[in-house]
Amino acid sequence: MTIFDPTKILWEETVPGGHHWSGAMRRGSALRFTDLQGGANVSLLFYNMEEKLERYNMPDTLKAQHTAFLTTGNVCYSDMGRVMCSFVHDDTGWHDTICGLSDADLIEKKYGVANYQTHRNKMYRNAKDGLLVELAKYGLGKPDMVANVNLFSKVSANNDGLLTFKSGNSKAGNAVDLRFDMNVLVVLSTAPHPLDTAKTYSPGNVMLTAWRAGVATDNDVCRNSCEQNQRGFINTERYFAN
């Protein structure tokens, strides 16, 4: 397992609840997401930094690893069968992959209206619009949006397929470390999960800490969690072979 090393921190910043962020993470770097108050949600999209037509593929990620959620040992696959990033540490144990994003209509119906003209930075933001703002910085837009990952959020299904959001799944101080196995454009929003049961609009702040993790070794927990992941890492390593 890749261990977080405070001496290898590259930078650190806080993304306030409801805001959005994007940036490039290089192969061998990692990003720690820390839920500062508890109950945070981070909606994530991933793209190949050099060729943005290659991006995170939810169906392949889930079927290759026989799971419906992500945690330590899991990876995120691209639509080219390569490993984009790996969950090398996780305090929460369950990160949603199937419920998508909040949008403007959903936020208005649940919480009402609070716009910039009246509330300034306390306006009610939604994940879809936040991600679109960030995607536009790289020449991307609505056609480039795909199924996302929602860090810190747990949604389970019963035998009838009814989805249930677990309030309080993530506690204050919980962290998840994603190691990047390719050069990846990360796009995120900290707006509420679409199924969040909170009665008021109060998305949590999230700390981002970038650090040098190194590439996956032969005994890496994510590489060896299943045979498909071993093949995925081979595909990735061939992509970067000189």
Side-chain angles (χ1 to χ4, degrees):
M1 180 183 298
T2 304
I3 304 298
F4 176 75
D5 184 348
T7 68
K8 295 183 178 180
I9 291 177
L10 299 168
W11 52 262
E12 192 169 62
E13 69 175 283
T14 298
V15 181
H19 287 235
H20 41 83
W21 179 95
S22 62
M25 296 299 298
R26 299 297 177 184
R27 173 171 161 82
S29 66
L31 197 56
R32 167 164 285 197
F33 301 81
T34 304
D35 182 351
L36 296 179
Q37 286 105 16
N41 178 73
V42 182
S43 298
L44 284 166
L45 295 173
F46 306 113
Y47 302 82
N48 180 338
M49 193 64 212
E50 280 77 37
E51 178 47 80
K52 297 179 187 66
L53 288 175
E54 181 179 6
R55 65 278 309 264
Y56 167 67
N57 186 288
M58 180 266 276
D60 287 354
T61 295
L62 301 187
K63 70 183 181 183
Q65 300 172 96
H66 301 282
T67 186
F69 61 91
L70 300 174
T71 186
T72 303
N74 291 138
V75 304
C76 292
Y77 278 93
S78 78
D79 49 17
M80 297 296 289
R82 290 187 272 262
V83 176
M84 302 194 81
C85 60
S86 306
F87 282 71
V88 295
H89 169 82
D90 176 25
D91 292 329
T92 308
W94 187 306
H95 303 274
D96 170 51
T97 59
I98 61 177
C99 290
L101 305 167
S102 61
D103 61 18
D105 287 343
L106 183 149
I107 293 297
E108 181 176 345
K109 289 176 182 177
K110 292 179 70 172
Y111 305 113
V113 177
N115 56 34
Y116 181 78
Q117 287 73 18
T118 58
H119 290 73
R120 296 297 189 265
N121 286 336
K122 293 183 179 181
M123 63 186 287
Y124 293 171
R125 297 174 173 88
N126 68 85
K128 181 180 178 181
D129 288 342
L131 294 180
L132 285 172
V133 168
E134 295 300 326
L135 288 173
K137 298 176 182 178
Y138 307 91
L140 303 174
K142 287 183 179 180
D144 302 294
M145 296 189 75
V146 294
N148 64 289
V149 176
N150 287 310
L151 293 186
F152 301 119
S153 294
K154 179 176 181 178
V155 177
S156 57
N158 64 16
N159 292 335
D160 296 322
L162 179 66
L163 296 176
T164 301
F165 179 85
K166 181 180 179 182
S167 180
N169 181 58
S170 177
K171 310 301 181 185
N174 276 15
V176 54
D177 296 343
L178 298 186
R179 179 191 61 219
F180 291 89
D181 304 289
M182 298 178 64
N183 298 326
V184 174
L185 169 63
V186 181
V187 183
L188 67 84
S189 165
T190 54
H193 187 279
L195 299 185
D196 194 332
T197 55
K199 301 300 183 184
T200 59
Y201 185 89
S202 55
N205 301 337
V206 176
M207 177 76 78
L208 306 181
T209 306
W211 52 288
R212 296 185 182 91
V215 298
T217 60
D218 289 343
N219 64 350
D220 182 71
V221 63
C222 300
R223 179 194 294 272
N224 295 315
S225 64
C226 65
E227 291 184 4
Q228 181 59 43
N229 283 5
Q230 293 176 348
R231 292 189 286 269
F233 275 101
I234 290 172
N235 288 342
T236 307
E237 288 156 357
R238 287 177 177 173
Y239 182 71
F240 288 94
N242 294 324

